[in-house]
Amino acid sequence: MPRTAKSGRLDFILRGWGYASKKETERLVKEKRVTVNGISAEKTSFYISPADIVEIDGEILTPRPFIYYAMNKPKGFSCVNGDIRYPYVTSLIKDDAAVNTLFCVGRLDVDTEGLLIITNDGGLTNALIHPVKEIPKKYYVEYDKPLCENAQEKAKIGLCHTDGTSYKPAEIEILSEYSAYITVSEGKYHEVKRIIGALQSKVTYLKRLSIGNLSLPADLEPGEYRLLTDDETDILYDLQYIYKLVVSKIVFI
Ligand code: URA
């Protein structure tokens, strides 16, 4: 079932229909090029209802479904729009006129590979990245030396970075002396790198394999992407309802 922005702020609607990013909407409004029911929109926060007729430069806009891509994010690309050091990861998406309206659901570091969801559905994104949801994200990780003693137990209780940031329990499945699967649930800044750091090793390679029960499509090489199927989009939507806040314990090492 296609999902569409039906009502909300003007900038949310124009982005969700694939016509303009938030910044572009600001400019269009300033230039008085947007009308709602024939009257010039004064603010990007103007509330749009399903019955309203929205026009840009006199062209009536039609609601279009949200866009959802799965990408195997390659190294060297940033998930931050406006990062001057690295190209924005959405620049890899070709042949999509609505590319300017797209953004990432959460962030992967520049040197991290793997599953990245790219969309223009702001409501879903906010729901998915909220830390109280504790949506598990599974990574394959390699590090420079074996993890410290009882690493799995320590990670399972919850670790703390030297700057005081605490991390909820993480599940580690050791694959070899230098590699493991690790599942975390918060999406905090450098979460996996810092948990591995607290276990006295340094990450040398990191790749996200799944978000909840949505896995990186096996056929996507780094830099490749494809639209999510309807079933995959349903999985993504369900994630926001499945995961709930759980209380965790923190251990200092
Ligand atoms: N944890 C990290 O440290 N980096 C990422 O990119 C994702 C999770």
Side-chain angles (χ1 to χ4, degrees):
M1 180 209 24
R3 295 177 166 88
T4 314
K6 294 193 179 72
S7 57
R9 289 171 54 118
L10 177 65
D11 49 7
F12 170 85
I13 292 290
L14 293 196
R15 190 178 66 184
W17 292 354
Y19 285 102
S21 67
K22 278 183 97 172
K23 246 196 200 141
E24 286 166 342
T25 304
E26 241 167 65
R27 183 172 50 80
L28 290 167
V29 165
K30 226 182 235 162
E31 292 170 0
K32 305 212 169 299
R33 293 166 59 191
V34 185
T35 59
V36 180
N37 303 325
I39 297 165
S40 177
E42 294 299 322
K43 285 183 176 174
T44 58
S45 60
F46 194 91
Y47 192 84
I48 305 296
S49 305
D52 288 334
I53 293 170
V54 186
E55 293 170 73
I56 298 178
D57 295 335
E59 183 203 338
I60 296 180
L61 309 188
T62 45
R64 300 182 195 145
F66 288 121
I67 300 164
Y68 306 94
Y69 285 107
M71 176 184 280
N72 185 349
K73 179 193 169 294
K75 290 180 185 179
F77 285 81
S78 176
C79 293
V80 180
N81 192 2
D83 185 337
I84 52 170
R85 296 162 303 167
Y86 303 97
Y88 191 33
V89 71
T90 63
S91 64
L92 289 164
I93 293 180
K94 308 293 176 203
D95 301 324
D96 189 330
V99 69
N100 288 346
T101 67
L102 300 176
F103 50 86
C104 308
V105 178
R107 289 178 183 173
L108 291 176
D109 295 335
V110 168
D111 57 355
T112 301
E113 294 182 355
L115 179 61
L116 184 67
I117 304 300
I118 295 174
T119 184
N120 54 359
D121 184 345
L124 178 68
T125 300
N126 290 337
L128 291 181
I129 64 174
H130 201 293
V132 299
K133 298 284 181 195
E134 297 205 352
I135 296 173
K137 289 139 202 130
K138 184 173 180 179
Y139 293 82
Y140 168 75
V141 60
E142 294 177 2
Y143 29 83
D144 61 341
K145 58 182 162 62
L147 302 178
C148 67
E149 232 177 273
N150 303 323
Q152 286 162 292
E153 291 75 17
K154 285 173 180 165
K156 212 172 192 163
I157 297 169
L159 290 159
C160 194
H161 187 60
T162 44
D163 73 357
T165 311
S166 58
Y167 298 96
K168 289 187 173 150
E171 197 74 43
I172 296 181
E173 187 186 330
I174 305 278
L175 298 171
S176 74
E177 285 193 311
Y178 300 99
S179 63
Y181 292 131
I182 178 166
T183 304
V184 297
S185 61
E186 289 177 281
K188 280 185 179 165
Y189 177 67
H190 286 175
E191 186 170 6
V192 171
K193 289 175 182 162
R194 287 176 161 200
I195 289 173
I196 296 296
L199 299 170
Q200 285 146 47
S201 298
K202 189 172 185 302
V203 170
T204 55
Y205 177 77
L206 188 59
K207 176 179 183 175
R208 183 156 65 190
L209 303 176
S210 61
I211 303 172
N213 39 5
L214 187 68
S215 298
L216 175 66
D219 55 334
L220 290 186
E221 294 297 323
E224 292 183 342
Y225 59 89
R226 67 159 170 74
L227 288 168
L228 291 185
T229 63
D230 287 347
D231 285 350
E232 288 168 333
T233 309
D234 288 344
I235 292 175
L236 200 63
Y237 258 79
D238 287 346
L239 285 178
Q240 60 186 318
Y241 306 116
I242 293 172
Y243 295 99
K244 300 223 171 75
L245 176 67
V246 291
V247 179
S248 59
K249 291 186 217 140
I250 307 299
V251 67
F252 292 82
I253 61 165

